[in-house]
Amino acid sequence: MKPQDVLKHPAHVLTDAQRRAFFDHGFVVLPDYVPEAWLTRLRAAMAELLERSRAVTQNDGVFVLEEGHSETEPRLHRVSSPQDQHPTFWEFMTDPVMTDLAADVVGPDVKFHHAKLNVKSGKGTQGFGWHQDIPAWPHTDFSPVTIGIYLDGCTPEQGPLTVADGSHAGPLFSMYDDAGNFVVKIREKDLGWLTDDRIRSITGGPGTTLLLNCRAVHGSVPNKSAAARPLLLPVYTSADSFPYTPSPIPSPHQGDIVRGQAAKYASFDTRPVEMPPDWRFGYKPVWSHNKPQKPGY
Ligand SMILES: O=C(O)CCC(=O)C(=O)O
């Protein structure tokens, strides 16, 4: 669904100004949005997954390990598809606290695409280079929104997610490096336009929530603090927005309608999108390329 059609429906969570800010700037931040009762449950679920990761010695389809990970000191960069690893995450992602919020920016009919939990353990976890999300999972329009929730909050030292203000309205950049690897990182030579005055660093207390359009240029620097910086990142779309490539982070829940009705017709925005590699025969994660850029998409 296109923004002008979304705006014809009344908002449930966002004020008119917040909704306008999302469409004008490509993101909006809601300080302390997720209630403490949910955060307590989500942290407990994450602690269980961290326990499970002690037995893991190399990156797999669920755990992306951080340097120094061991049985005695589990260090995670990411948990892929946390909603398929612990029921609390799926309960949360299908609760109106999330789905009504998503509806305010994608329209009343909301579809789930995928999710990840970027744990970003403390003491030197890698960052994420500047990138756009949609070239990894192209859709028929640009409704996809990532909703990022800081489970413990985020200080400037913890490698906050940073967004280039208004970049969703600009071009899509190549996510390949000079050698042709899909590294999900914009090349230095394409970043001349990105001046400091456009960079917004998203910090805040526990439950602070970011809505990020799928075209927005964003990234984050390493977490140098001692504490982890868990950021839960479910992705929702309008029900009438359809992916046309396999998801790099698959889930049995991909395509589930989590609010409203399924769509009979697809919505199209014909602005071009660079295609990701052909992943039909297996996803080659970003961290598997020789030249490490960031450990995972
Ligand atoms: O966790 C972060 O700081 C950035 C996450 C991100 O950009 C991504 O997962 O695409």
Side-chain angles (χ1 to χ4, degrees):
M1 187 176 270
K2 310 264 181 52
Q4 63 268 30
D5 296 318
V6 173
L7 289 168
K8 288 178 189 156
H9 297 271
H12 301 273
V13 180
L14 299 181
T15 62
D16 284 349
Q18 287 171 323
R19 231 176 168 198
R20 282 269 163 218
F22 174 81
F23 289 117
D24 290 350
H25 298 269
F27 72 99
V28 70
V29 182
L30 310 180
D32 312 328
Y33 171 69
V34 174
E36 187 53 42
W38 262 123
L39 296 176
T40 304
R41 291 187 60 198
L42 293 165
R43 285 183 203 123
M46 182 177 75
E48 284 184 36
L49 296 185
L50 210 63
E51 273 308 301
R52 251 179 67 190
S53 79
R54 288 180 190 273
V56 177
T57 54
Q58 53 186 338
N59 294 333
D60 59 22
V62 178
F63 297 107
V64 181
L65 309 178
E66 200 42 73
E67 214 177 301
H69 170 87
S70 68
E71 198 179 341
T72 46
E73 194 192 354
R75 287 173 48 75
L76 293 185
H77 188 76
R78 165 180 291 172
V79 178
S80 301
S81 299
Q83 77 285 353
D84 301 333
Q85 302 306 321
H86 196 294
T88 297
F89 289 109
W90 185 239
E91 206 187 314
F92 175 69
M93 290 173 197
T94 52
D95 187 276
V97 74
M98 284 289 100
T99 58
D100 282 354
L101 178 60
D104 285 358
V105 296
V106 307
D109 301 317
V110 182
K111 189 159 60 182
F112 176 80
H113 187 254
H114 76 273
K116 51 211 177 181
L117 171 61
N118 286 353
V119 179
K120 242 184 165 182
S121 290
K123 294 179 272 179
T125 319
Q126 293 186 55
F128 291 78
W130 289 107
H131 65 284
Q132 289 159 307
D133 287 338
I134 197 67
W137 26 269
H139 277 65
T140 54
D141 69 11
F142 297 103
S143 80
V145 60
T146 298
I147 304 187
I149 303 108
Y150 286 128
L151 300 188
D152 295 336
C154 180
T155 65
E157 296 73 40
Q158 286 181 295
L161 196 146
T162 46
V163 189
D165 198 338
S167 54
H168 69 307
L172 290 179
F173 297 94
S174 179
M175 294 298 137
Y176 290 84
D177 67 12
D178 291 334
N181 299 310
F182 191 71
V183 291
V184 195
K185 183 173 188 264
I186 301 175
R187 287 178 243 203
E188 217 44 55
K189 69 175 175 55
D190 290 337
L191 284 171
W193 57 273
L194 186 54
T195 45
D196 286 353
D197 58 320
R198 285 191 72 171
I199 298 176
R200 306 284 175 266
S201 188
I202 315 301
T203 55
T208 293
T209 297
L210 162 77
L211 279 76
L212 184 72
N213 176 261
C214 62
R215 296 179 64 97
V217 172
H218 63 286
S220 67
V221 294
N223 176 8
K224 294 212 171 80
S225 82
R229 191 234 55 186
L231 176 63
L232 183 62
L233 295 159
V235 177
Y236 302 92
T237 75
S238 305
D240 62 3
S241 184
F242 289 85
Y244 49 86
T245 56
S247 175
I249 301 181
S251 166
H253 286 301
Q254 185 191 326
D256 282 6
I257 300 297
V258 292
R259 187 182 191 281
Q261 309 293 322
K264 281 174 78 176
Y265 297 91
S267 155
F268 286 92
D269 181 327
T270 56
R271 280 176 289 173
V273 181
E274 179 185 61
M275 286 291 96
D278 185 347
W279 285 322
R280 279 176 301 168
F281 309 108
Y283 171 50
K284 191 171 180 203
V286 172
W287 63 84
S288 66
H289 296 297
N290 289 340
K291 211 172 90 189
Q293 302 277 357
K294 59 173 194 146
Y297 168 69

Coordinates of all heavy atoms in Angstrom, one line a residue, residues 78 116 118 120 128 131 133 159-161 218-220 229 231 233 294 297, ligand 1:
R78 N 23.9 -11.8 16.6 CA 22.5 -11.9 16.2 C 21.9 -13.2 16.5 O 22.5 -14.3 16.4 CB 22.4 -11.6 14.7 CG 21.1 -11.9 14.1 CD 21.0 -11.6 12.6 NE 21.0 -10.2 12.4 CZ 21.1 -9.7 11.2 NH1 21.3 -10.4 10.1 NH2 21.1 -8.4 11.0
K116 N 14.8 -10.5 13.3 CA 16.1 -10.8 13.9 C 16.2 -10.1 15.2 O 15.5 -9.1 15.4 CB 17.2 -10.5 12.9 CG 17.1 -9.0 12.4 CD 17.7 -8.9 11.0 CE 17.5 -7.4 10.5 NZ 17.9 -7.1 9.2
N118 N 19.3 -8.5 17.1 CA 20.7 -8.1 17.1 C 21.1 -7.8 18.5 O 20.9 -6.8 19.1 CB 20.9 -6.8 16.2 CG 20.7 -7.1 14.7 OD1 20.6 -8.3 14.3 ND2 20.8 -6.1 13.9
K120 N 24.2 -7.8 19.7 CA 25.4 -6.9 19.8 C 26.0 -6.9 21.2 O 26.0 -5.9 21.9 CB 25.0 -5.4 19.4 CG 25.7 -4.9 18.2 CD 25.3 -3.5 17.9 CE 26.3 -2.9 16.9 NZ 25.9 -1.5 16.6
F128 N 27.5 -2.3 11.7 CA 26.9 -2.5 10.4 C 27.2 -1.4 9.5 O 26.9 -0.2 9.9 CB 25.4 -2.6 10.6 CG 24.9 -3.8 11.4 CD1 24.9 -3.9 12.8 CD2 24.3 -4.9 10.7 CE1 24.5 -5.0 13.5 CE2 23.9 -6.1 11.4 CZ 24.0 -6.1 12.8
H131 N 23.8 0.9 4.8 CA 23.1 0.1 3.8 C 21.6 0.4 3.8 O 21.1 1.2 4.6 CB 23.3 -1.4 4.2 CG 22.7 -1.8 5.4 ND1 23.2 -1.6 6.7 CD2 21.5 -2.5 5.7 CE1 22.4 -2.1 7.6 NE2 21.4 -2.6 7.1
D133 N 17.8 -1.8 3.4 CA 17.4 -3.2 3.6 C 16.7 -3.8 2.4 O 16.8 -5.0 2.1 CB 16.4 -3.2 4.7 CG 17.1 -3.1 6.1 OD1 18.3 -3.3 6.2 OD2 16.4 -2.7 7.1
G159 N 26.8 1.7 20.3 CA 26.7 1.4 18.8 C 25.2 1.6 18.4 O 24.6 0.6 17.9
P160 N 24.6 2.8 18.7 CA 23.2 2.9 18.3 C 23.0 2.8 16.8 O 23.9 3.0 16.0 CB 22.9 4.4 18.7 CG 24.1 5.0 19.2 CD 25.2 4.0 19.2
L161 N 21.8 2.4 16.5 CA 21.4 2.4 15.0 C 21.4 3.9 14.6 O 20.9 4.8 15.3 CB 20.0 1.8 14.9 CG 19.7 1.4 13.4 CD1 18.9 0.1 13.4 CD2 19.0 2.4 12.7
H218 N 20.9 3.3 6.6 CA 21.2 3.2 8.0 C 22.4 2.3 8.3 O 22.8 1.6 7.3 CB 20.0 2.7 8.8 CG 19.5 1.3 8.4 ND1 18.9 1.0 7.2 CD2 19.7 0.1 9.1 CE1 18.6 -0.3 7.2 NE2 19.1 -0.9 8.3
G219 N 22.9 2.3 9.5 CA 24.0 1.5 9.9 C 24.2 1.6 11.4 O 23.4 2.2 12.1
S220 N 25.4 1.1 11.9 CA 25.7 1.4 13.3 C 27.2 1.1 13.5 O 27.7 0.2 12.8 CB 24.8 0.6 14.2 OG 25.0 -0.8 14.1
R229 N 23.7 -4.8 23.6 CA 22.7 -3.8 23.1 C 21.6 -4.5 22.3 O 21.6 -4.3 21.1 CB 23.4 -2.7 22.3 CG 22.5 -1.5 22.0 CD 22.5 -1.2 20.5 NE 22.1 -2.3 19.7 CZ 22.1 -2.4 18.4 NH1 22.6 -1.3 17.7 NH2 21.7 -3.4 17.7
L231 N 18.6 -5.4 20.2 CA 17.6 -4.7 19.4 C 16.8 -5.7 18.6 O 17.4 -6.4 17.8 CB 18.4 -3.8 18.4 CG 17.6 -2.9 17.4 CD1 16.6 -2.0 18.1 CD2 18.5 -2.2 16.5
L233 N 14.1 -6.8 15.9 CA 13.8 -6.1 14.6 C 12.8 -7.0 13.8 O 13.2 -7.6 12.8 CB 15.1 -5.9 13.8 CG 16.2 -5.0 14.4 CD1 17.6 -5.2 13.9 CD2 15.8 -3.5 14.2
K294 N 30.6 -7.0 7.7 CA 29.8 -7.1 8.9 C 29.3 -8.5 9.0 O 29.2 -9.2 7.9 CB 28.6 -6.1 8.8 CG 27.7 -6.3 7.7 CD 26.5 -5.4 7.8 CE 25.4 -5.8 6.9 NZ 24.0 -5.6 7.4
Y297 N 23.7 -10.2 7.4 CA 22.7 -9.2 6.9 C 21.6 -9.2 7.9 O 21.2 -10.2 8.4 CB 22.1 -9.5 5.5 CG 21.0 -8.6 5.4 CD1 21.2 -7.2 5.2 CD2 19.7 -9.1 5.5 CE1 20.1 -6.4 5.3 CE2 18.7 -8.2 5.5 CZ 18.9 -6.9 5.4 OH 17.8 -6.0 5.5
Ligands
LIG1 O1 21.6 -3.5 14.9 C1 22.0 -2.5 14.4 O2 22.7 -1.7 15.0 C2 21.8 -2.3 12.9 C3 20.9 -3.3 12.3 C4 20.8 -3.3 10.8 O3 21.1 -2.3 10.2 C5 20.3 -4.4 10.2 O4 20.1 -5.5 10.8 O5 19.9 -4.3 9.0

